[in-house]
C-alpha cells in the first residue's frame, strides 16, 4: 500500500471515532450525570455578628427610643418605690414592669431591684462600694460584684473585643456586659448550633441531627 493511502485510512477512521464520540456525548450514551444539588444559603441567624441585646449606651448612640429608661416619666422624684414580696419572700414585679423577668443567679440571690438601681435616684445605679453610676456605665456595676469575670473582660478573655490588633493603627472596643446578658436574668440562654457543612457527594447522607436538648 502507498503511504498516502495509509494516512487517508488512519485519518478517516479517527474522524469516524470522534464523530461517534460526539454523538455519544450528544445523546448521553453513558447515562445522565446526577444534577447538581441546589445548596440552600446559610440561615443569616448563624452568620450575623450583632450581639444578642442592645444596651442603653448603644440605644443612646443610635438615637433610638429611650422611654423605657425615663423612670421619672412614671415615678415621683423623692418617693422611692417600695419593694413588695409574696408570702415566700419572692419579689413581686409590678404590672408596669411585667416585661422584666427577674432571675439573677441560679438561686435568684441578686433579685432586689435596689441592689443595682438607686432608690433615691432611679436614673442611677448604686454599687456596694458606694459609687453612683449612669445607665451607660452598667459594666462598672456588673464588675462591682463579678470581680474575676470583670478582670477577664478587661483582659479580653471574656466578652468580645473589636477594633485593631495594632493599637498604633486605631482603638479597640469591648462590648458591655448588657450587650450579651440581660441584667435582670443574666444567664446566657443556650443557642442552636449552626448546621454542618453541606456535602457535595449526593450518595452520602449527612449524619442525623438530633432534635431535642441543645
Ligand atoms: C410606665 C411607667 C413606669 C416607668 C417608665 C418606670 N416605672 Fe418603675 N414602677 C412603675 C409602677 C406603676 C410601679 C409600682 C408602684 C410603685 O411601687 O411605685 C413601679 C415599681 C418600681 C419598682 C419597685 C418594684 C417592686 O418589685 O416592687 C422599682 C425598683 C422601679 N419601679 C424602678 C424603675 C426604674 C429604675 C425605672 C427607670 C429605668 C422605672 N421604674 C421606670 C411604673 C414605671
Ligand atoms: C443586677 C442589677 C439589676 C437588678 C437587680 C435590677 N436591675 Fe433593672 N437594670 C439594670 C441594668 C444594668 C439596666 C440597663 C441595661 C441596659 O443598658 O440595657 C436596667 C434597666 C432597667 C429598666 C429600663 C429598661 C428595661 O428593661 O425596662 C427598668 C425599668 C428596670 N431596670 C427596672 C428594674 C426593676 C423594677 C428591678 C427589680 C424588680 C430591677 N430593675 C432589678 C440592672 C439591674
Ligand atoms: C450586687 C451584686 C451583683 C451585681 C451588681 C451583679 N451581679 Fe450578677 N450575680 C450576683 C450573684 C450573687 C449571682 C449568683 C451567684 C451564685 O448563685 O452563685 C450572680 C449571677 C450572675 C450570672 C450567672 C447566672 C446563672 O444563672 O448562671 C451572670 C451571667 C451574671 N450574674 C451577670 C451579671 C451582669 C451582666 C451584671 C451587670 C448588669 C451583674 N451580674 C451584676 C451578683 C451581682
Ligand atoms: C460578647 C458577649 C458577652 C459579653 C460582652 C459578656 N459576656 Fe458574660 N458570658 C457570655 C456567654 C456566652 C456566657 C455563657 C458561657 C457558657 O454558658 O458556657 C457568659 C457567662 C458569664 C457568666 C457565668 C460564668 C459561669 O461560670 O457560669 C458570668 C458571671 C458573666 N458571663 C458575667 C459577665 C460580665 C460581668 C460581663 C461584663 C464585664 C460579661 N459577662 C460580658 C457572653 C458575654
Amino acid at each position: 500500500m502507498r503511504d498516502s493511502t495509509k494516512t487517508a485510512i488512519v485519518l478517516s477512521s479517527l474522524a469516524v471515532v470522534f464523530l461517534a464520540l460526539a454523538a455519544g456525548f450528544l445523546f448521553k450514551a453513558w447515562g445522565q450525570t446526577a444534577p447538581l444539588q441546589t445548596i440552600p444559603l446559610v440561615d443569616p441567624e448563624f452568620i450575623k455578628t450583632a450581639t444578642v441585646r442592645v444596651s442603653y449606651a448603644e440605644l443612646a448612640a443610635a438615637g433610638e427610643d429611650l422611654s423605657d429608661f425615663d423612670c421619672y416619666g412614671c415615678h415621683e422624684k423623692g418617693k422611692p418605690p417600695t419593694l413588695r414580696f409574696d408570702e415566700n419572700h419572692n419579689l413581686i414585679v409590678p404590672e408596669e414592669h411585667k416585661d422584666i423577668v427577674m432571675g439573677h443567679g441560679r438561686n435568684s440571690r441578686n433579685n432586689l431591684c435596689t441592689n443595682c438601681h438607686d432608690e433615691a435616684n432611679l436614673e442611677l445605679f448604686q454599687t456596694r462600694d458606694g459609687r453612683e453610676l449612669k445607665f451607660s456605665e452598667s459594666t462598672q456595676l456588673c464588675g462591682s460584684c463579678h470581680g474575676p469575670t470583670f478582670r477577664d473582660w478587661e483582659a479580653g478573655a471574656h466578652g468580645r473585643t473589636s477594633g485593631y490588633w495594632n493599637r498604633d493603627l486605631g482603638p479597640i472596643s469591648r462590648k458591655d456586659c448588657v450587650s450579651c446578658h440581660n441584667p435582670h436574668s443574666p444567664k446566657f440562654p443556650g443557642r442552636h448550633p449552626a448546621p454542618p457543612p453541606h456535602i457535595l457527594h449526593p450518595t452520602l447522607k449527612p449524619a442525623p441531627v438530633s432534635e431535642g436538648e441543645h
Side-chain angles (χ1 to χ4, degrees):
M1 240 193 281
R2 285 216 321 262
D3 269 5
S4 62
T5 324
K6 271 195 210 155
T7 315
I9 290 171
V10 168
L11 284 181
S12 39
S13 1
L14 271 178
V16 169
V17 167
F18 278 119
L19 279 173
L21 276 173
F25 286 131
L26 192 64
F27 297 109
K28 305 207 165 78
W30 296 277
Q32 202 86 22
T33 45
L36 283 182
Q37 278 180 302
T38 46
I39 299 180
L41 294 178
V42 174
D43 183 343
E45 177 65 25
F46 295 112
I47 45 178
K48 65 175 190 224
T49 56
T51 48
V52 295
R53 283 189 94 246
V54 184
S55 68
Y56 169 85
E58 288 162 329
L59 287 174
E64 302 270 345
D65 174 26
L66 294 174
S67 57
D68 280 353
F69 294 90
D70 180 19
C71 313
Y72 291 113
C74 297
H75 289 272
E76 207 178 308
K77 280 201 174 134
K79 252 185 92 187
T82 39
L83 304 186
R84 274 170 287 263
F85 298 88
D86 66 16
E87 60 277 11
N88 298 322
H89 289 281
N90 291 320
L91 189 78
I92 300 170
V93 179
E95 182 65 16
E96 284 75 6
H97 290 301
K98 67 175 181 322
D99 50 337
I100 294 178
V101 178
M102 278 313 299
H104 198 123
R106 256 153 296 198
N107 304 304
S108 297
R109 279 162 60 194
N110 188 32
N111 273 5
L112 289 191
C113 317
T114 49
N115 283 1
C116 298
H117 295 279
D118 183 350
E119 60 270 41
N121 182 351
L122 290 176
E123 299 188 327
L124 292 176
F125 297 125
Q126 56 186 349
T127 63
R128 298 300 94 196
D129 55 13
R131 279 176 289 153
E132 300 272 276
L133 301 167
K134 299 199 213 82
F135 283 148
S136 56
E137 298 169 323
S138 60
T139 292
Q140 301 296 320
L141 169 76
C142 311
S144 71
C145 291
H146 293 282
T149 316
F150 183 68
R151 273 203 309 276
D152 290 350
W153 177 87
E154 278 189 308
H158 189 102
R160 191 210 288 179
T161 307
S162 309
Y164 294 84
W165 283 109
N166 183 347
R167 307 279 162 90
D168 296 336
L169 295 177
I172 59 155
S173 66
R174 297 234 153 88
K175 285 289 176 187
D176 284 320
C177 316
V178 293
S179 293
C180 298
H181 297 280
N182 183 322
H184 303 130
S185 355
K187 183 175 168 44
F188 199 87
R191 304 220 282 174
H192 284 278
H198 225 281
I199 48 160
L200 291 170
H201 204 299
T203 58
L204 291 177
K205 290 231 154 46
V209 179
S210 69
E211 284 296 322
E213 290 284 306
H214 289 282

